[in-house]
Amino acid sequence: MNQVSNEENPSKLRKLDDKNEPDSSPVFKSFDGFKVKRILKENPESRCIVVEGSFKRDILESDSSMSVVVLEKTHFTENEVNSVLTKSTTVECLFNNDVYYNLLCHPPIELNGIKATVIHPATEKHIEKYSAKKSFLIEETPLIYQSVTLPHISKSKFDLQWVYNILEHKKEADRIVFEDLNPESGFILLPDLKWDCRSTSNLYLTGIVCKKDIKSLRDLTSEHLPLLKNLLEKGSAAITEKYGLQKSQQRIYLHYQPSYYHLHVHFTSLEFIPPGCQVERAHLLASVIRNIELKSSYYLDSTLDFIIFEGDPLLEKYQHYVALNSNGDNKCYL
Ligand code: M7G
């Protein structure tokens, strides 16, 4: 496990001054008076819980806006382990049998950090996205994409403001690891919202393309090969240079369906199994390139499988489409 160094990166990689503009986003300094409405999801494996609730300020100002808070116990780094296993940690013995001991340890406060991701104000769609739900597989033919998925995503996709803020250097400029601003083949690579940047064992970066008219994997053709190859080669090389992970130690993939319909690529450590890297959602960028090299219209013509969750209005639309068009030859597993 490698810790991420805070030292200035001496490489050629772009390290921008913080060009973040002052804006009206609230500054969160504490959770004083935060009211938990309900638990949306919890995952004991990833030591993570997702809560819907409201901040005191919003309750007092009778602003009805809700927030989503994701709380995650952070990864241990080698330094921290050395500091935890000292006399400054108090230890409670919960259980002992022969040579086996269960201890509850209380390390000093600075070693007890929890990563909190706050979405505020959160829309119904955010709350939906972060809630636990049953899942279903969809077999999306090109016709179903054109008739159901495309009209739906054109109307109800997530706001892309955060993406444009990054592309315009208005936000997260100081976090950029690499950028190539060529309007056709360029992209910006930076740590993903999900990564706390403390250790490379859960390394997670996102490469956001400069071009604004590529919604997803479905739109890709041979016209985009220079862009895709650039992402694969320059993105992985920047990660090798900054974090020491070889290309063969990186999982580089696209989601289908994505949550945000502006083309972006996920770069994670191969050792780390993040949500969304399963076969029903992840498409390795290297395979995508090879498929398009075989046939330019591969992703326009293919039936693509993906996962969809209960409560997603798109699921109802697929069910409705299948009911109208099935004739015993269903193209969905619904
Ligand atoms: P996706 O495949 O569209 O959806 O990936 P997913 O969120 O269901 O995986 C979008 C990626 O962008 C995810 O990995 C998010 O964690 C990441 N992301 C989302 N937002 C709002 C931000 C942000 O504001 N900054 C950064 N750096 N990453 C974000």
Side-chain angles (χ1 to χ4, degrees):
M1 174 177 63
N2 289 323
Q3 273 171 246
V4 173
S5 153
N6 288 328
E7 282 166 31
E8 198 60 37
N9 179 8
S11 72
K12 313 185 273 310
L13 303 179
R14 176 110 193 238
K15 181 90 175 68
L16 294 168
D17 296 324
D18 191 352
K19 288 192 194 154
N20 290 0
E21 287 175 1
D23 64 23
S24 55
S25 306
V27 176
F28 295 105
K29 291 207 172 131
S30 91
F31 286 93
D32 180 26
F34 185 87
K35 205 160 179 304
V36 173
K37 185 176 168 203
R38 61 184 167 139
I39 305 297
L40 297 177
K41 187 162 63 175
E42 52 189 308
N43 184 344
E45 261 170 53
S46 58
R47 307 273 195 272
C48 173
I49 191 160
V50 188
V51 168
E52 177 189 343
S54 17
F55 282 89
K56 190 179 180 180
R57 172 181 51 220
D58 296 329
I59 301 167
L60 293 178
E61 290 169 12
S62 57
D63 171 353
S64 60
S65 68
M66 295 308 291
S67 309
V68 170
V69 180
V70 184
L71 294 179
E72 239 174 291
K73 299 257 174 152
T74 55
H75 243 66
F76 286 108
T77 63
E78 209 172 314
N79 275 351
E80 279 170 350
V81 170
N82 285 325
S83 311
V84 167
L85 301 178
T86 62
K87 73 170 185 191
S88 48
T89 294
T90 56
V91 174
E92 227 178 293
C93 183
L94 300 178
F95 168 87
N96 162 233
N97 185 349
D98 190 36
V99 295
Y100 305 99
Y101 295 82
N102 256 358
L103 309 176
L104 188 62
C105 304
H106 303 281
I109 190 163
E110 63 279 9
L111 296 169
N112 253 333
I114 291 177
K115 177 173 185 274
T117 304
V118 176
I119 303 176
H120 175 91
T123 63
E124 278 305 318
K125 210 160 153 50
H126 287 121
I127 293 168
E128 179 73 35
K129 173 173 155 77
Y130 283 93
S131 302
K133 285 160 280 175
K134 277 192 197 155
S135 47
F136 301 89
L137 271 181
I138 299 292
E139 263 186 49
E140 185 196 62
T141 61
L143 185 61
I144 294 181
Y145 175 70
Q146 289 298 336
S147 336
V148 185
T149 316
L150 188 57
H152 176 82
I153 60 182
S154 309
K155 267 195 266 158
S156 66
K157 59 189 180 183
F158 269 118
D159 190 356
L160 293 175
Q161 192 53 51
W162 69 273
V163 171
Y164 301 142
N165 286 343
I166 291 172
L167 292 176
E168 291 161 22
H169 296 126
K170 287 184 180 158
K171 291 279 183 176
E172 304 189 55
D174 53 333
R175 284 161 40 87
I176 292 175
V177 168
F178 175 83
E179 66 179 3
D180 168 350
L181 297 180
N182 182 303
E184 288 302 310
S185 62
F187 66 97
I188 289 185
L189 179 73
L190 78 171
D192 192 276
L193 180 70
K194 296 189 194 103
W195 189 31
D196 57 16
C197 300
R198 285 153 38 92
S199 158
T200 54
S201 48
N202 63 342
L203 176 138
Y204 199 145
L205 290 96
T206 305
I208 301 174
V209 310
C210 297
K211 247 174 112 59
K212 292 191 172 162
D213 60 349
I214 316 172
K215 287 184 287 305
S216 74
L217 182 64
R218 264 284 180 215
D219 291 340
L220 296 174
T221 64
S222 56
E223 175 202 336
H224 305 111
L225 282 173
L227 166 66
L228 300 176
K229 289 182 178 176
N230 207 27
L231 273 156
L232 186 63
E233 295 312 324
K234 292 193 187 154
S236 62
I239 289 175
T240 306
E241 185 163 355
K242 181 152 171 108
Y243 302 106
L245 272 193
Q246 297 308 309
K247 187 177 168 197
S248 57
Q249 297 174 292
Q250 300 172 28
R251 183 189 296 106
I252 306 172
Y253 58 99
L254 292 95
H255 277 158
Y256 194 75
Q257 300 281 337
S259 298
Y260 301 95
Y261 288 87
H262 173 108
L263 195 78
H264 57 274
V265 171
H266 302 255
F267 294 77
T268 67
S269 160
L270 199 53
E271 284 173 12
F272 173 47
I273 312 289
C277 76
Q278 301 87 337
V279 290
E280 65 271 21
R281 191 144 189 238
H283 296 252
L284 283 179
L285 178 57
S287 308
V288 170
I289 291 173
R290 284 193 291 266
N291 289 336
I292 296 174
E293 279 174 341
L294 277 178
K295 187 182 177 201
S296 171
S297 61
Y298 185 95
Y299 289 101
L300 302 179
D301 300 343
S302 292
T303 292
L304 297 176
D305 303 276
F306 60 86
I307 191 165
I308 190 164
F309 296 96
E310 190 177 32
D312 187 327
L314 194 50
L315 179 63
E316 251 178 60
K317 293 184 185 173
Y318 290 127
Q319 284 166 330
H320 185 66
Y321 181 90
V322 170
L324 289 178
N325 299 281
S326 65
N327 293 330
D329 181 24
N330 265 0
K331 279 296 175 196
C332 291
Y333 299 106
L334 298 170

